[in-house]
Amino acid sequence: MMHIDIITCLPRLIESPFSDSILKRAQSKSLVTVNIIDLRQYATSKHRTTDDYAFGGGAGMVMMIEPIDNCISHLKTQRSYDDVIYTSPDGERLNQSMANELSLKKNLILLCGHYKGVDERVREHLITREISIGDYVLSGGELAAAVIADAVIRLIPGVLSDETSALTDSFQDNLIAPPVYTRPAEYKGWQVPEVLLSGHQANIEEWRHSQSLERTQKRRPELTKKA
Ligand code: SAH
C-alpha cells in the first residue's frame, strides 16, 4: 500500500480533495493512505508560528526550518521515504511520465510551501525532490500537492474501477485521448459517429487511434514527435 504524508500549515485547504469520489475510494479500499499533517504541531514557539520575517528584509514571510525539520524527522522515525517532495514553482515540471514513476513509490512526503516559500536550507538539506505543477505562482502548495497526489493515486492498480482506463488517458504514449460519447445517439440533430454504434470492435479501435493521432497533431504537435 502506498502512503503519502502531506505537510501543511493550513490543513483545511487540502482535506476536501481526499474526502470524495476516486481519491476517497482509493483510501477506503486500502490502496493508499493519505495523512495530512498540521505543521503547527511541530512549532516550538508559544504561538505555534511556522513563519518569520526574511533576512535582508523585503515583503513576505518565510517558513522556518525548525518546525519542518521536527516534522520530517518525526515522520522518518515511523517509515523510510522514497522521496521528500517540496512543491515549488521552480521545481521539475509535473507530467504524466513523472506521475507514472511516482505511482510506483511506497512512501512519499509532500511539503506545501506558503508565503514567500521555505527557508532555502530546507531545500538544501531536507528535501530530495522539487515539483512544480506549471509556470504560474499559487498562494500555497496545497493545491499543487492535491494535483500531484491525484495524478499519482489514480494510477495505482485497483483505484480506477476499469483497470485499463488510466492507460487510455491523454499523455500515456504521448497521445491525446480520442473523443467520447454517450446516449442519446442523436441530440438536436447532432449525431454520434456511426462507427461507435456499429458494434464492430476492430473498426472502433482503428477509429479511436486515428482520432488520437489527428487530435495530437492538431492540438499538441510537439507530442507527435515523441510518440
Ligand atoms: N516566492 C516564490 C513563490 C512562493 S508561492 C517564488 O517566486 O518562486 C508559495 C508556495 O506555493 C510555494 O512555496 C510553493 O509551495 C507553492 N507553489 C506556488 N506555485 C506553485 C507551482 N506552480 N507548483 C507547485 N507549487 C507551487
Side-chain angles (χ1 to χ4, degrees), residues 63 86-91 111-118 123 131-145 148:
M63 287 174 71
Y86 174 51
T87 56
S88 183
D90 60 1
L111 171 64
C112 306
H114 246 279
Y115 321 109
K116 289 305 275 181
V118 296
R123 305 175 66 169
I131 299 179
S132 162
I133 63 161
D135 285 349
Y136 40 81
V137 176
L138 303 165
S139 38
E142 288 74 15
L143 293 176
I148 297 164

Coordinates of all heavy atoms in Angstrom, one line a residue, residues 63 86-91 111-118 123 131-145 148, ligand 1:
M63 N 8.8 30.5 5.6 CA 8.6 29.4 6.5 C 9.9 28.9 7.1 O 10.9 28.7 6.5 CB 7.9 28.2 5.7 CG 6.4 28.5 5.4 SD 5.7 27.3 4.4 CE 5.5 25.9 5.6
Y86 N 9.1 18.8 -2.2 CA 8.7 20.2 -1.9 C 8.0 20.7 -3.2 O 8.5 20.5 -4.3 CB 9.9 21.1 -1.6 CG 9.6 22.5 -1.5 CD1 8.5 22.9 -0.6 CD2 10.3 23.5 -2.1 CE1 8.2 24.3 -0.4 CE2 10.0 24.8 -2.0 CZ 9.0 25.2 -1.1 OH 8.7 26.6 -1.0
T87 N 6.7 21.2 -3.0 CA 6.0 21.8 -4.1 C 6.6 23.2 -4.4 O 6.6 24.0 -3.5 CB 4.5 21.9 -3.8 OG1 4.4 22.6 -2.6 CG2 3.9 20.5 -3.6
S88 N 7.1 23.4 -5.6 CA 7.7 24.7 -5.8 C 7.6 25.1 -7.3 O 7.8 24.3 -8.2 CB 9.2 24.5 -5.5 OG 9.9 25.7 -5.7
P89 N 7.3 26.4 -7.6 CA 7.1 26.8 -9.0 C 8.4 26.6 -9.8 O 8.3 26.5 -11.0 CB 6.7 28.3 -8.9 CG 6.9 28.7 -7.5 CD 7.0 27.5 -6.6
D90 N 9.6 26.6 -9.1 CA 10.8 26.4 -9.9 C 11.3 24.9 -9.9 O 12.4 24.7 -10.2 CB 11.9 27.4 -9.5 CG 12.3 27.2 -8.0 OD1 11.7 26.3 -7.3 OD2 13.1 27.9 -7.5
G91 N 10.4 24.0 -9.5 CA 10.8 22.6 -9.5 C 10.7 21.9 -10.9 O 10.4 22.6 -11.8
L111 N 5.6 18.4 0.9 CA 5.7 19.6 1.7 C 5.1 20.8 1.0 O 5.6 21.1 -0.1 CB 7.2 19.8 2.1 CG 7.4 21.2 2.9 CD1 6.8 21.2 4.2 CD2 9.0 21.4 3.0
C112 N 4.1 21.4 1.6 CA 3.5 22.5 1.0 C 4.1 23.8 1.5 O 4.1 24.1 2.7 CB 2.0 22.6 1.3 SG 1.1 21.1 1.0
G113 N 4.5 24.7 0.6 CA 5.1 26.0 1.0 C 4.0 27.0 1.1 O 2.8 26.7 0.7
H114 N 4.3 28.1 1.7 CA 3.4 29.2 1.8 C 4.1 30.5 1.9 O 5.3 30.5 2.0 CB 2.5 29.1 3.1 CG 1.1 28.9 2.7 ND1 0.2 29.9 2.4 CD2 0.4 27.7 2.6 CE1 -0.9 29.4 2.1 NE2 -0.9 28.1 2.2
Y115 N 3.4 31.6 1.8 CA 4.1 33.0 1.8 C 5.2 33.1 0.7 O 4.9 32.7 -0.4 CB 4.6 33.2 3.2 CG 3.7 32.7 4.3 CD1 4.1 31.7 5.1 CD2 2.5 33.4 4.5 CE1 3.2 31.2 6.1 CE2 1.6 32.9 5.5 CZ 2.0 31.8 6.3 OH 1.2 31.3 7.3
K116 N 6.4 33.4 1.1 CA 7.5 33.5 0.1 C 8.1 32.2 -0.2 O 9.0 32.1 -1.0 CB 8.6 34.5 0.6 CG 8.2 36.0 0.6 CD 7.7 36.5 -0.7 CE 8.8 36.9 -1.7 NZ 8.2 37.4 -3.0
G117 N 7.7 31.2 0.6 CA 8.3 29.8 0.4 C 9.0 29.4 1.7 O 8.9 30.1 2.7
V118 N 9.8 28.4 1.6 CA 10.5 27.9 2.8 C 12.0 28.4 2.8 O 12.5 28.7 1.8 CB 10.6 26.3 2.8 CG1 9.2 25.7 2.9 CG2 11.3 25.7 1.6
R123 N 15.4 23.3 1.5 CA 15.5 22.7 0.2 C 16.9 22.0 0.0 O 17.0 21.0 -0.6 CB 15.3 23.8 -0.8 CG 14.0 24.5 -0.7 CD 13.8 25.7 -1.6 NE 13.7 25.3 -3.0 CZ 13.3 26.1 -4.0 NH1 13.0 27.3 -3.7 NH2 13.3 25.6 -5.2
I131 N 8.9 19.7 -7.1 CA 7.9 19.5 -8.3 C 7.1 20.8 -8.4 O 6.5 21.3 -7.4 CB 7.1 18.2 -8.1 CG1 7.9 17.0 -8.1 CG2 6.1 18.2 -9.3 CD1 7.2 15.7 -7.9
S132 N 7.0 21.2 -9.6 CA 6.1 22.3 -10.0 C 4.9 21.8 -10.8 O 5.1 20.8 -11.6 CB 6.9 23.3 -10.9 OG 5.9 24.2 -11.5
I133 N 3.7 22.4 -10.6 CA 2.6 21.9 -11.4 C 2.4 22.8 -12.6 O 1.4 22.7 -13.4 CB 1.3 21.7 -10.6 CG1 0.8 23.0 -10.0 CG2 1.5 20.7 -9.6 CD1 -0.7 22.9 -9.7
G134 N 3.3 23.8 -12.8 CA 3.2 24.7 -14.0 C 3.8 26.0 -13.8 O 4.1 26.4 -12.6
D135 N 4.0 26.8 -14.9 CA 4.7 28.0 -14.8 C 3.7 29.2 -14.4 O 3.4 30.0 -15.2 CB 5.4 28.4 -16.1 CG 6.6 27.6 -16.3 OD1 7.1 26.9 -15.3 OD2 7.2 27.6 -17.4
Y136 N 3.3 29.1 -13.2 CA 2.4 30.2 -12.6 C 2.6 30.1 -11.1 O 3.1 29.0 -10.6 CB 1.0 30.0 -13.0 CG 0.5 28.6 -13.0 CD1 0.1 28.0 -11.8 CD2 0.5 27.9 -14.1 CE1 -0.3 26.7 -11.7 CE2 0.1 26.5 -14.1 CZ -0.3 25.9 -12.9 OH -0.7 24.6 -12.9
V137 N 2.3 31.1 -10.3 CA 2.5 31.0 -8.9 C 1.2 31.0 -8.1 O 0.3 31.8 -8.3 CB 3.4 32.3 -8.4 CG1 3.5 32.3 -6.9 CG2 4.7 32.2 -9.1
L138 N 1.1 29.9 -7.3 CA -0.1 29.8 -6.4 C 0.2 30.4 -5.1 O 1.4 30.7 -4.8 CB -0.3 28.3 -6.2 CG -0.5 27.4 -7.5 CD1 -0.4 25.9 -7.1 CD2 -1.9 27.7 -8.1
S139 N -0.8 30.6 -4.3 CA -0.6 31.2 -3.0 C 0.0 30.2 -2.0 O 0.5 30.6 -1.0 CB -1.8 31.9 -2.5 OG -2.9 31.2 -2.8
G140 N -0.2 28.9 -2.3 CA 0.3 27.9 -1.4 C 0.5 26.6 -2.1 O 0.0 26.4 -3.2
G141 N 1.2 25.7 -1.5 CA 1.5 24.4 -2.1 C 0.4 23.4 -2.0 O 0.5 22.3 -2.6
E142 N -0.7 23.7 -1.3 CA -1.8 22.7 -1.0 C -2.4 22.2 -2.3 O -2.6 21.0 -2.5 CB -2.8 23.2 0.0 CG -2.3 23.3 1.4 CD -1.4 24.5 1.6 OE1 -1.3 25.4 0.8 OE2 -0.7 24.5 2.7
L143 N -2.8 23.2 -3.2 CA -3.4 22.8 -4.4 C -2.5 22.0 -5.3 O -2.9 21.0 -5.9 CB -4.0 24.0 -5.2 CG -5.1 24.7 -4.5 CD1 -5.5 26.0 -5.3 CD2 -6.3 23.8 -4.3
A144 N -1.2 22.4 -5.3 CA -0.2 21.6 -6.0 C -0.1 20.2 -5.5 O 0.0 19.2 -6.3 CB 1.1 22.4 -6.0
A145 N 0.0 20.1 -4.2 CA 0.1 18.7 -3.6 C -1.1 17.9 -3.9 O -1.0 16.7 -4.2 CB 0.3 18.9 -2.0
I148 N -0.7 16.7 -7.5 CA 0.3 15.7 -7.6 C -0.3 14.4 -7.1 O -0.2 13.3 -7.8 CB 1.6 16.1 -6.9 CG1 2.2 17.3 -7.5 CG2 2.6 14.9 -6.8 CD1 3.3 18.0 -6.6
Ligands
SAH1 N1 8.3 33.3 -3.9 C1 8.1 32.0 -4.6 C2 6.6 31.6 -4.7 C3 6.0 31.3 -3.4 S1 4.4 30.8 -3.6 C4 8.7 32.1 -6.0 O1 8.7 33.2 -6.5 O2 9.1 31.1 -6.5 C5 4.0 30.0 -2.1 C6 4.1 28.4 -2.2 O3 3.1 27.9 -3.1 C7 5.4 27.9 -2.7 O4 6.3 27.8 -1.6 C8 5.0 26.5 -3.2 O5 5.0 25.5 -2.2 C9 3.6 26.8 -3.7 N2 3.5 26.9 -5.2 C10 3.3 28.1 -5.8 N3 3.2 27.9 -7.1 C11 3.5 26.6 -7.4 C12 3.6 25.8 -8.5 N4 3.4 26.3 -9.8 N5 3.8 24.5 -8.4 C13 4.0 24.0 -7.2 N6 3.9 24.7 -6.0 C14 3.6 26.0 -6.1

